[in-house]
Amino acid sequence: MNLSCVSTLTITKVDILTEGQYTCNVKEEIQGIIFRGQMTTQINIKQKPILVIKPIRSSVEEGSPFNVNCYVTNKKDAYIKNGTDIKMCVNKTEIKCQYNSNHNFTCNFTAASNVTVECKLRSNCSSSSSELFSAITVLKKGEKLCQKEGDWPTTQAGQEAIIPCPDGYSGEKTRKCLILGSWATVINSDGCKKEELEKIENLLNDTTELTENALESSLSSISSIVNNSITSSNDNDVAHNDIIQSVDLISTISEKTVNFTNQASANKTTQVFMGVVSDILDNGKNQVKAKNKTKEKEVTSKILSSVNKFAKSVTKALQVNQSVTVNKTNMLLSIEKIAKTTDIKFPKKTEGNSQQLTTHFTLPSEALGDIKGDGVAFTAVKYDNIGSEFLSGNETSIGSSVLSLTVDGLISTNLNENITLSFQRRNVSNSTTSSPNCVFLSEDRNNLVSVWNTSGCSLKSFTDTQVTCTCNHLTNFAILMSLTKTPSSHSQALTLITYIGCSFSVLGALATIVIYLYFWRYLKNRRSVLIINLCLALSIAYLLFLTVLDQTNDTVGCSVIAALLQYFFLAMFCIMLALGIDLAIAVLDVFSSRSSSGLLLLLGWGLPAAIVGITLLSTNVGGYGDETFCWLRNDTLFGFIGPALAIILVNFIILIIVMKTMFSSSFMLKKTVKEKTISGIRGMCALLPTLGLTWVFGVLSLGGAAVVFQYLFAIFNSLQGLFIFIFHVLLNTQVRQAVTRKVKKYESRTLSTKTSKSKFVSKSSSKEMQSFEESNEGFRNESTGFAIPRIDSSDVGQHRPFKSS
């Protein structure tokens, strides 16, 4: 509302945010004549009536009684015309209801069929306009229902109950009634907005400029609401929304133009503004975090941006060598205007307060050369309890306070002189085993939240207690500490091993596919089909990993890449499971070894598609791709880790059965300990790459010997395709036989006169067939070439040799 002071000489408008007494003064001087006038008026602000109906949606059994309540929540403060009353209507007809109090009615019904009850305040029942309505679904007896629980009405199983937000809030809350007839524990109250904050929002949206009084009034109201949300025992389901809504208002205020009269008034208002910010950062964002971690990122990002924007209005009220300082328990802010020839230092060094073991920065005056004018305005902040919300994993932690610097008029993306930052380390006792990373906050691809980035920042020096960094741009800075205590030299080595290994792995897998297809006439069997499909999935997965994992610029494209990576890596595991099942079939003779490979291929390619589909639907595509990589987010990693661990466990059991069966066979019992050992090692080496058991090193890398297992994991898994090529092509007897037959066929066709050479080849081939521990007493796995005895189901407890055809 605006109060206008009107005369023929002056027109003045005053923003009315709260009720109270307002005075209008008029003064004008004309030569020889003075006009003066004054009038005082009392402004009483009344609210619009807020009408509520309960329940908004519910279900009841046929023939059961139920009631609908309709009332005005803010009757005391609302403006309601005399004679205006609540009307409750069914089928456009007003019904008589129980009178609770003025503007509060309850109607009782007996359920016969589905019914919609309307609640009206300003119009008649015959009017087509509908203010509020309650939808009641009538069910036959015996159908499952969630019983009434507090304000939550009886609701049909599988449906969602809707009730109004608590008094003082607009919007609705929802809760799911599960299909078994029990209430879900999660209550969705994101739609609840505090009415007081909505009033402030409406007033702020009506203006582009704010007076100091209007700004202080708004900030005071917001501060009160934030403190009440943090300290009071309000409805915990909606208190976090107060914080989110307050942060949105802080952001709106920072966008407005505020013309401070002088440094003193700017300082006064800044103290109030930063007081609200401090309360939110100290406790408020923890309430948001408890409900939604992603929202916590957005809240902190908006706060950081709002502080810098608001500070620009403050700097306009400052003269050179003037400043505004705010010192809170969790933050220190300084808004200053200094001479252009002066270095920017923050915090200011005071006598008896050495900066040797503190967090501070220095920007040389040479970096300020592009700024016009003699004065330089800047905003510097030290935040003590933010940063961890922007970490994408659990491997790192924030090892310091966060420093922020914004200089008006300076292009800060590429400074003429670097900024030097010194950080006092946190958790000193845990930091000596790893070197820190100097990082800054950059906006993610959606410009919604920030992410830690290392571009343009480098580590200058560090000790157990202090870290010095240098950066060629300005923003929010901090240091990251590795929780896995992996030195940066190891990280670089592991990255190099991974990329080189994956490249060799793709080449090995593609070579395996080519050789198997070329000699398919001699290698055709179910296991060869699975090996080819495994190599195909591996090649595609690793190629995606090598080429597009970090293509995070396009949100949709990144989500597609992440889904494809999940699918092909899961396809690898599922085909490895199919290979394990095929191996178990061969050993246990559960089914015919000549059965179709169609079901195993369906398992290998179909199950991953189902898992990806479920993950996509359960996360509404929001669990794919983050600010760093096109991969699953932390809260959706179960869509990969769960199936992978299950397959590893199954294949590990199969491996134990196979090795136990092999070593208990009469064929192996005749061997010496040395021969048994060699056969066991060969068998393990051949099976591990195809059963995926090397991925166990990834789990072990989380233990105390983390670095050792990280290297083992990087080596064995990045080289998986190469190992398949070695053990299933180069050392595969069947492949070598196929090559020999191909050579023999070629020689017999083109060099028929060289019979002796053909006999020699045939003889050497005959020797090869017995070179890999096989006689008529054992079954040779057609892909690996090592002996696996088969259990005869018709002769339980006795092992018999399996003769491959």
Side-chain angles (χ1 to χ4, degrees):
M1 178 189 298
N2 288 321
L3 173 66
S4 298
C5 299
V6 182
S7 77
T8 57
L9 304 175
T10 331
I11 297 178
T12 305
K13 286 190 177 181
V14 181
D15 291 328
I16 304 299
L17 296 179
T18 59
E19 62 183 29
Q21 184 171 298
Y22 291 84
T23 302
C24 198
N25 292 294
V26 178
K27 180 180 178 181
E28 184 71 7
E29 293 188 15
I30 301 177
Q31 187 173 7
I33 304 174
I34 298 177
F35 295 92
R36 285 191 179 92
Q38 185 182 77
M39 181 63 70
T40 301
T41 183
Q42 181 70 28
I43 304 295
N44 296 315
I45 299 177
K46 286 289 186 179
Q47 301 174 5
K48 293 180 180 179
I50 299 173
L51 196 62
V52 170
I53 192 168
K54 290 183 179 180
I56 298 171
R57 180 199 294 167
S58 66
S59 307
V60 293
E61 284 188 345
E62 187 177 16
S64 299
F66 67 94
N67 60 67
V68 177
N69 180 219
C70 187
Y71 61 97
V72 176
T73 63
N74 60 340
K75 182 181 65 173
K76 180 179 177 182
D77 301 317
Y79 172 69
I80 305 176
K81 290 182 179 180
N82 293 333
T84 303
D85 216 339
I86 291 176
K87 298 177 179 63
M88 298 187 74
C89 320
V90 175
N91 296 327
K92 305 298 181 182
T93 302
E94 184 175 351
I95 54 177
K96 299 298 181 181
C97 301
Q98 178 183 348
Y99 177 91
N100 298 331
S101 63
N102 193 20
H103 298 101
N104 188 334
F105 291 87
T106 299
C107 283
N108 298 308
F109 299 88
T110 299
S113 60
N114 294 349
V115 64
T116 298
V117 180
E118 291 182 282
C119 180
K120 299 189 177 187
L121 182 64
R122 297 182 180 87
S123 54
N124 297 319
C125 286
S126 59
S127 172
S128 59
S129 64
S130 178
E131 294 181 37
L132 292 174
F133 63 88
S134 175
I136 311 298
T137 302
V138 177
L139 307 176
K140 294 187 180 298
K141 291 187 177 182
E143 293 191 51
K144 288 186 178 180
L145 283 168
C146 285
Q147 297 301 319
K148 179 178 173 60
E149 183 180 291
D151 287 336
W152 297 101
T154 55
T155 301
Q156 183 181 9
Q159 297 298 315
E160 203 171 47
I162 305 176
I163 63 173
C165 293
D167 289 350
Y169 292 82
S170 63
E172 302 168 350
K173 295 200 296 184
T174 62
R175 190 180 184 186
K176 186 76 172 181
C177 175
L178 304 178
I179 57 174
L180 296 179
S182 61
W183 286 109
T185 56
V186 177
I187 297 174
N188 183 0
S189 57
D190 290 345
C192 296
K193 290 190 175 183
K194 199 167 189 67
E195 291 160 2
E196 292 178 59
L197 293 176
E198 282 192 306
K199 286 198 318 182
I200 298 174
E201 181 182 6
N202 293 332
L203 291 167
L204 291 175
N205 288 337
D206 288 339
T207 181
T208 57
E209 294 187 7
L210 287 175
T211 63
E212 294 176 34
N213 290 335
L215 176 56
E216 286 189 29
S217 175
S218 297
L219 289 173
S220 179
S221 298
I222 295 171
S223 177
S224 176
I225 291 169
V226 168
N227 286 323
N228 286 337
S229 299
I230 293 172
T231 59
S232 67
S233 56
N234 286 346
D235 189 332
N236 290 329
D237 291 325
V238 297
H240 73 287
N241 286 340
D242 295 349
I243 306 300
I244 295 173
Q245 201 175 351
S246 296
V247 170
D248 288 339
L249 292 179
I250 289 292
S251 179
T252 300
I253 288 172
S254 70
E255 300 280 355
K256 304 297 182 181
T257 300
V258 183
N259 296 313
F260 295 104
T261 53
N262 51 42
Q263 185 266 352
S265 64
N267 179 67
K268 179 184 176 184
T269 306
T270 302
Q271 298 295 331
V272 179
F273 182 92
M274 297 307 300
V276 178
V277 168
S278 177
D279 289 339
I280 293 173
L281 292 181
D282 203 20
N283 296 305
K285 71 185 184 75
N286 292 331
Q287 285 190 328
V288 177
K289 178 182 179 180
K291 289 290 183 180
N292 190 321
K293 288 185 178 181
T294 302
K295 282 291 184 183
E296 184 200 12
K297 292 181 183 180
E298 292 183 21
V299 162
T300 309
S301 291
K302 283 186 176 181
I303 285 292
L304 295 179
S305 176
S306 298
V307 167
N308 290 331
K309 290 177 181 177
F310 177 79
K312 287 186 177 181
S313 293
V314 177
T315 57
K316 294 176 182 178
L318 302 181
Q319 303 296 323
V320 175
N321 296 327
Q322 284 188 336
S323 65
V324 170
T325 301
V326 178
N327 195 348
K328 299 291 183 181
T329 56
N330 57 8
M331 64 184 300
L332 174 64
L333 171 136
S334 182
I335 305 172
E336 299 183 45
K337 185 171 286 188
I338 61 174
K340 189 175 178 181
T341 56
T342 307
D343 295 345
I344 295 179
K345 295 181 178 181
F346 174 80
K348 294 290 187 182
K349 184 176 180 180
T350 59
E351 290 189 25
N353 179 24
S354 173
Q355 291 185 356
Q356 294 303 311
L357 293 178
T358 59
T359 298
H360 60 277
F361 65 73
T362 300
L363 180 66
S365 59
E366 289 80 4
L368 309 174
D370 295 335
I371 298 178
K372 296 179 180 180
D374 296 329
V376 174
F378 69 89
T379 303
V381 196
K382 180 171 74 75
Y383 300 97
D384 288 331
N385 64 345
I386 68 166
S388 59
E389 56 266 49
F390 302 117
L391 296 175
S392 58
N394 297 321
E395 296 79 20
T396 54
S397 68
I398 298 298
S400 70
S401 300
V402 176
L403 288 174
S404 172
L405 175 62
T406 304
V407 181
D408 291 355
L410 179 64
I411 300 175
S412 59
T413 54
N414 193 4
L415 299 174
N416 296 329
E417 292 288 336
N418 285 7
I419 183 174
T420 301
L421 308 109
S422 184
F423 298 94
Q424 188 174 3
R425 298 178 83 165
R426 295 174 179 168
N427 303 321
V428 176
S429 60
N430 298 326
S431 64
T432 56
T433 55
S434 61
S435 61
N437 289 318
C438 300
V439 293
F440 72 97
L441 280 175
S442 61
E443 290 184 338
D444 74 344
R445 60 177 181 267
N446 296 319
N447 296 323
L448 293 177
V449 296
S450 302
V451 292
W452 289 114
N453 198 330
T454 59
S455 300
C457 290
S458 59
L459 180 65
K460 193 173 181 180
S461 63
F462 71 96
T463 65
D464 292 348
T465 57
Q466 203 76 11
V467 177
T468 302
C469 300
T470 179
C471 298
N472 62 8
H473 52 77
L474 301 182
T475 181
N476 303 291
F477 303 96
I479 58 173
L480 293 183
M481 303 302 302
S482 172
L483 296 183
T484 57
K485 301 179 179 63
T486 305
S488 57
S489 58
H490 287 297
S491 299
Q492 295 173 359
L494 289 168
T495 301
L496 186 63
I497 289 171
T498 299
Y499 277 90
I500 294 175
C502 286
S503 300
F504 279 113
S505 198
V506 171
L507 292 175
L510 292 176
T512 302
I513 294 173
V514 171
I515 291 173
Y516 268 67
L517 292 178
Y518 185 76
F519 295 105
W520 187 245
R521 178 179 177 183
Y522 308 103
L523 303 177
K524 185 177 182 180
N525 56 60
R526 183 172 62 200
R527 195 160 185 82
S528 295
V529 171
L530 294 176
I531 290 291
I532 291 174
N533 279 270
L534 173 60
C535 289
L536 179 62
L538 185 149
S539 300
I540 297 174
Y542 280 24
L543 282 172
L544 288 171
F545 174 82
L546 290 171
T547 57
V548 294
L549 181 67
D550 57 353
Q551 300 300 308
T552 59
N553 294 328
D554 180 16
T555 305
V556 177
C558 186
S559 298
V560 172
I561 291 168
L564 289 174
L565 277 167
Q566 182 195 13
Y567 175 75
F568 285 107
F569 271 114
L570 283 177
M572 279 174 51
F573 275 98
C574 289
I575 296 172
M576 288 188 284
L577 175 62
L579 282 162
I581 293 172
D582 179 65
L583 186 60
I585 291 173
V587 172
L588 301 177
D589 198 22
V590 180
F591 305 104
S592 170
S593 62
R594 296 179 179 274
S595 63
S596 170
S597 57
L599 290 177
L600 293 178
L601 288 179
L602 181 61
L603 169 68
W605 294 104
L607 182 57
I611 295 173
V612 173
I614 292 171
T615 309
L616 284 168
L617 291 174
S618 64
T619 63
N620 197 24
V621 199
Y624 287 82
D626 57 25
E627 303 83 10
T628 309
F629 298 112
C630 297
W631 181 234
L632 296 172
R633 293 179 180 265
N634 289 340
D635 53 354
T636 50
L637 271 176
F638 65 86
F640 174 74
I641 293 177
L645 289 178
I647 290 171
I648 290 172
L649 178 62
V650 172
N651 279 350
F652 183 72
I653 295 172
I654 290 173
L655 178 65
I656 293 174
I657 294 173
V658 169
M659 301 307 291
K660 181 180 179 181
T661 304
M662 184 178 76
F663 279 98
S664 62
S665 65
S666 58
F667 166 61
M668 289 295 291
L669 290 175
K670 297 176 183 179
K671 291 181 175 290
T672 64
V673 174
K674 181 179 179 180
E675 290 173 332
K676 289 179 181 179
T677 303
I678 294 173
S679 296
I681 292 174
R682 286 181 175 176
M684 290 283 287
C685 291
L687 287 176
L688 285 177
T690 56
L691 297 184
L693 300 183
T694 53
W695 284 75
V696 173
F697 291 125
V699 178
L700 297 176
S701 67
L702 301 177
V707 175
V708 175
F709 287 109
Q710 283 177 28
Y711 275 104
L712 292 174
F713 179 66
I715 293 170
F716 282 103
N717 285 282
S718 66
L719 293 174
Q720 186 176 4
L722 183 61
F723 289 144
I724 291 174
F725 177 75
I726 292 172
F727 291 109
H728 294 270
V729 175
L730 297 182
L731 299 180
N732 189 338
T733 304
Q734 191 179 11
V735 173
R736 295 194 332 222
Q737 288 177 9
V739 174
T740 301
R741 292 175 185 174
K742 198 79 170 178
V743 171
K744 179 180 176 182
K745 183 177 180 181
Y746 176 78
E747 289 182 345
S748 64
R749 184 183 302 167
T750 60
L751 302 172
S752 56
T753 58
K754 297 182 179 182
T755 308
S756 60
K757 187 173 181 177
S758 296
K759 290 180 179 180
F760 174 76
V761 172
S762 177
K763 183 177 180 181
S764 66
S765 175
S766 178
K767 290 180 180 179
E768 278 191 67
M769 293 180 65
Q770 299 182 20
S771 65
F772 206 84
E773 339 278 358
E774 183 181 358
S775 65
N776 288 332
E777 298 178 74
F779 159 67
R780 176 173 63 252
N781 182 290
E782 294 173 328
S783 273
T784 63
F786 71 90
I788 303 177
R790 172 182 287 174
I791 299 175
D792 188 356
S793 59
S794 64
D795 188 9
V796 178
Q798 300 292 325
H799 300 296
R800 67 173 177 83
F802 171 76
K803 298 180 182 179
S804 57
S805 55

